[in-house]
Amino acid sequence: MASNQCESTASKVHPSFNSKVANVVLRSSEGTLYRIPSFVLRNTTSYFRSVLPIPPAFGQQTSSQEQLTDSIVVDEKDVILERILRLISGLETPTWGTFEEVEEVMSLAEKWNAPGPISVMRSAVTAPKFLAEPLRLYGIAARFGWEEETKLASTHTLKLSIYDEEHADLLQRLPTKALLDLLAFHRRRRDLFKTFLDSEDIFTAGNDLEPYCSGCGEKVDNHSWRELKARMFFEMDQRPLGDTLMGLDMEEWRESIACWSARCRRQECGRLTYNKVATLRDIQICLDKLPSTI
């Protein structure tokens, strides 16, 4: 920020910030002037508390023309500067537009050390429109140490394949610990799910070391179950939420069709090797047991 000679006649003054009792003028990067009382800036931000003089006592005020000698240049666009000034002034604020806008206002609030706007934005960032961008929300929450919001955002990242190149930029911007926690969380869900799938106690028919047909005692080959497990592991790696495992798409997998149609090879028997309904139920139970947040 820098101070320049205030020329109100050469620049437009924002109509919501044109107070007659203002003794400070902020100028955006677009040239708009914001006249605002210094006590508002001093009471709501540590930055201005340190750089602005204490206002004169009541009865010692000078005229507004004498007070407005310099403008303070704020290197932010109008949409950002107006938003944060509305927050610290207690004025009505419009609906948030984009996550970029939220991040820029948060950065300015952090620069000014303005806890009020930060607390207001904390309650706003969990709106559905921002949960739709969980990696960005996770980054902001981790940056400010918001535990509840960080956990909520981590849950919503489960629908993402975070190793895809499209997410690389956001992942690189995460604090190191937050990044490692998120990667470990996704990996933990995937690996624990594999442990469940390989359990002989849960999926006896498929994981028995010496499987036999429950109808005639003929030895059976569990290769179709092994292939289905490999496909489910891949799907969990790509989308750890696991919702693709129980949807209609799974019905069309080559591995699913082969597994659910596998039968005893003894012609006189022909019994289905796996109980589809029971197996799908057990898969869902396993998914429900997985950790849901970092």
Side-chain angles (χ1 to χ4, degrees), residues 205-241:
N207 295 322
D208 196 331
L209 295 178
E210 294 191 11
Y212 294 93
C213 174
S214 59
C216 67
E218 180 76 12
K219 191 167 185 178
V220 298
D221 185 350
N222 278 334
H223 74 278
S224 61
W225 169 246
R226 291 193 295 270
E227 290 180 358
L228 180 57
K229 287 197 299 181
R231 176 63 185 270
M232 289 191 287
F233 178 80
F234 171 79
E235 293 291 332
M236 283 294 288
D237 186 58
Q238 295 298 302
R239 190 178 170 94
L241 184 60

Side-chain angles (χ1 to χ4, degrees), residues 3-30:
S3 294
N4 289 320
Q5 190 67 26
C6 179
E7 299 180 359
S8 298
T9 58
S11 302
K12 62 179 180 179
V13 179
H14 194 289
S16 297
F17 297 93
N18 194 17
S19 171
K20 295 180 180 179
V21 298
N23 55 346
V24 174
V25 176
L26 303 180
R27 186 169 66 185
S28 73
S29 61
E30 298 176 70

